[in-house]
């Protein structure tokens, strides 16, 4: 076993185990001033031949007798006696959530080590594993060292992208990007807590890693070009500015402009691209009636893929005079005339036509676009480029819901086809490139009412095996359908103030009750809790700063540990 040397300040024990359980948490009696240990600290427990890794989730004041806690002995006793009394009767306990355990064997200097090593010639059985037991009473506890962090989270590299640093030691904590893209993931936080910065950080890592493509639905035009921070007035680098060769910016509409700059090309949709299910997905936004699905089905039966164009041409309420009777009857190009012919309720058809006027009038939906923009986006993504779709002036919920769902449905079909072709004939067809679809305001697309109608829910549930995953960014995770939340592998959460949102982020995770308080007490900015598939254990980090130094480190060096000046500057904007 690797022992702790109390003479070495970096290995000084902070306490020892006094109780607890595997189901809940371990209780650790603190032997240093409580101010030296904070909630969220990464600690290591040395117990015989085993080492346990855990996170501090709570600090509790205790006493051997309640009267000692109530009496202010320091005011009536000599200082030396009061200090001795405090040390014996008043104490602080840590609550530690154990996450991993690892067999480390006897002390290498002991005679037993050679025998143990011969029994464990294969190192594969000595890797950290989920905790299945508890350490012994009085096992010593210490703060994590750099080698502990590297052992659990990996050394920083293009695959292991550093997203932040531990609170006390400023040690870099990476996310395993190879695992990150294998399952859908989420970034959460209340408004103003830095969700967009965390998203930019992970996108920088994905672009530099270059083993997966990213399609970003940029509803508020934040990611492509440089911006200015509202609080510090510093320049926020855009992804297009820093990765010009790898990123393509697409603007919605023929004359799109993003922050005064022209995109690489424009996205226009053909009227034939719109299917009835795309309209059904807008039920809440357009306040459609329950008769809408039947009317849309009749339109598809009558006109096929040209249903949208034909319905758009119809006139609502148009009448003509019957030459035989002289009475007013629906004109041949009216909605009512078609409804009568198709056996559809006239009022339902006319009501749908009126509500679809908002969609008919969208300038980016054309009868015959000059190019197949959707095919161009798919081609870019399949060939290793990253696409940011900026909505420009089209920032309404209707635009976002319609365009994102339509594009994602097309992508889902294309990646399924490519994957099936690869699996059927791997010698003839290339393996599909993994794709991460980034959506903001995810609760608008993935709430309980909408989830079943959108392509996003299908991706979250099923598309991992077809190389497509989601990265959802949202401030109200409690409004996202719980079936979708349960499919998220990696979760990165900044501060959340609502109890329901906290519960949603932690749903389905072991130790969620212990983590709940830690998530609620994060700093309003620059801190995040990492959970799930892409990180080996729950860990609280101060997030890496998104600035020009980040890009210098990405392109050439290891991330530097942050000092006190960095922390002060990030907290107070100086």
């Amino acid at each position: 076993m690797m022992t702790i040397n109390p003479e070495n300040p970096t290995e000084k024990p902070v306490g020892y185990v006094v109780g607890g359980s595997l189901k809940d948490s371990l209780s650790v009696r603190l032997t240093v001033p409580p101010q030296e240990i904070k909630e969220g600290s990464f600690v290591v427990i040395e117990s015989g031949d085993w080492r346990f890794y855990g996170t501090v989730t709570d600090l509790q004041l205790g006493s051997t007798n309640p009267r000692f806690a109530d009496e202010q002995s320091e005011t009536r006793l000599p200082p030396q006696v009061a200090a001795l009394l405090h040390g014996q009767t008043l104490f602080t306990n840590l609550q530690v959530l154990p996450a991993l355990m690892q067999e480390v064997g006897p002390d290498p200097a002991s005679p037993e080590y050679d025998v143990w090593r011969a029994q464990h010639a294969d190192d594969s059985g000595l890797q950290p594993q989920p905790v299945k037991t508890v350490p012994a009473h009085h096992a010593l506890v210490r703060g994590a060292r750099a080698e502990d962090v590297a052992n659990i989270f990996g050394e920083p590299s293009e695959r292991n992208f550093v997203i932040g640093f531990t609170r006390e030691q400023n040690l870099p904590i990476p996310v395993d990007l190879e695992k990150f893209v294998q399952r859908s993931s989420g970034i959460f936080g209340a408004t103003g807590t830095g969700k967009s910065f965390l998203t930019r950080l992970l996108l920088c890592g994905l672009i530099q890693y270059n083993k997966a493509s990213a399609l970003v639905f940029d509803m508020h035009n934040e990611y492509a070009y440089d911006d200015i921070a509202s609080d510090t007035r510093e320049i926020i680098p855009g992804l297009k500015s820093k990765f010009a060769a790898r990123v393509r910016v697409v603007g919605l509409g023929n004359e799109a402009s993003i922050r005064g700059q022209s995109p690489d090309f424009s996205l226009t949709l053909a009227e034939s691209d719109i299917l009835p299910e795309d309209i059904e997905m807008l039920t809440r936004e357009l306040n459609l009636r329950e008769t809408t699905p039947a009317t849309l089905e009749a339109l598809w039966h009558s006109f096929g893929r040209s249903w949208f164009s034909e319905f758009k041409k119809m006139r609502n309420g148009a009448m003509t005079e019957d030459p035989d009777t002289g009475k007013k009857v629906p004109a041949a190009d009216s909605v009512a005339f078609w409804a009568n012919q198709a056996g559809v309720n006239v009022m339902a058809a006319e009501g749908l036509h009126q509500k679809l006027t908002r969609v008919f009038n969208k300038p980016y939906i054309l009868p015959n676009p000059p190019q197949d923009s959707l095919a161009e986006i798919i081609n870019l993504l399949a060939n290793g480029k990253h696409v940011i779709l900026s909505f420009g002036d089209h920032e309404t919920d209707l635009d976002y819901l319609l365009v994102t769902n339509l594009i994602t449905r097309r992508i889902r079909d294309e990646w399924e086809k490519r994957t099936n072709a690869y699996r059927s004939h791997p010698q003839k067809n290339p393996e599909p490139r993994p794709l991460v679809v980034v959506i903001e305001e995810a609760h608008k697309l993935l709430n309980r009412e909408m989830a079943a109608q959108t392509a996003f829910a299908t991706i979250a549930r099923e598309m991992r095996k077809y190389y497509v995953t989601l990265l959802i960014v949202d401030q109200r995770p409690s409004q996202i359908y719980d079936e979708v939340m349960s499919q998220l592998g990696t979760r990165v959460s900044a501060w959340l103030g609502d109890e329901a949102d906290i519960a949603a982020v932690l749903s389905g995770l072991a130790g969620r009750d212990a983590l709940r308080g830690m998530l609620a007490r994060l700093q309003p900015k620059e801190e995040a809790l990492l959970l799930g598939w892409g990180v080996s254990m729950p860990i609280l980090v101060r997030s890496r700063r998104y600035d020009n130094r980040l890009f210098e480190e990405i392109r050439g060096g290891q991330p530097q540990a942050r000092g006190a000046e960095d922390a002060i500057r990030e907290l107070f904007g100086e």
Side-chain angles (χ1 to χ4, degrees), residues 257-296:
S257 176
I258 298 95
R259 300 193 183 279
Q261 301 196 53
S262 298
D264 293 308
F265 66 92
S266 299
L267 170 66
T268 52
L269 304 176
E271 292 179 348
S272 59
D273 288 331
I274 300 176
L275 302 182
E277 51 262 41
D278 297 321
I279 302 302
E280 288 184 52
M281 187 266 303
L282 302 173
T283 295
R284 178 188 290 183
E285 182 65 22
L286 296 177
N287 193 23
L288 301 178
R289 299 179 180 177
E290 60 273 8
T291 57
T292 296
T295 306
L296 290 170

Side-chain angles (χ1 to χ4, degrees), residues 25-47:
S25 298
L26 300 176
S27 292
V28 174
R29 182 66 48 84
L30 201 61
T31 56
V32 297
Q35 292 77 19
E36 293 187 18
I37 299 293
K38 296 182 178 64
E39 183 183 47
S41 296
F42 179 20
V43 295
V44 179
I45 303 171
E46 304 279 6
S47 179

Side-chain angles (χ1 to χ4, degrees), residues 291-346:
T291 57
T292 296
T295 306
L296 290 170
E297 184 178 356
L299 283 164
W300 182 264
H301 185 266
S302 297
F303 305 111
R305 290 196 69 90
S306 62
W307 77 271
F308 187 86
S309 300
E310 296 298 327
F311 197 41
K312 179 181 177 181
K313 294 175 187 175
M314 296 179 191
R315 294 187 295 159
N316 217 345
M319 305 294 287
T320 188
E321 185 176 299
D322 188 325
D324 296 329
T325 63
K327 295 181 179 180
K328 292 290 185 180
V329 295
D333 60 348
S334 69
V335 175
F337 183 86
W338 168 80
N340 288 327
Q341 293 288 105
V344 174
N345 183 279
V346 172

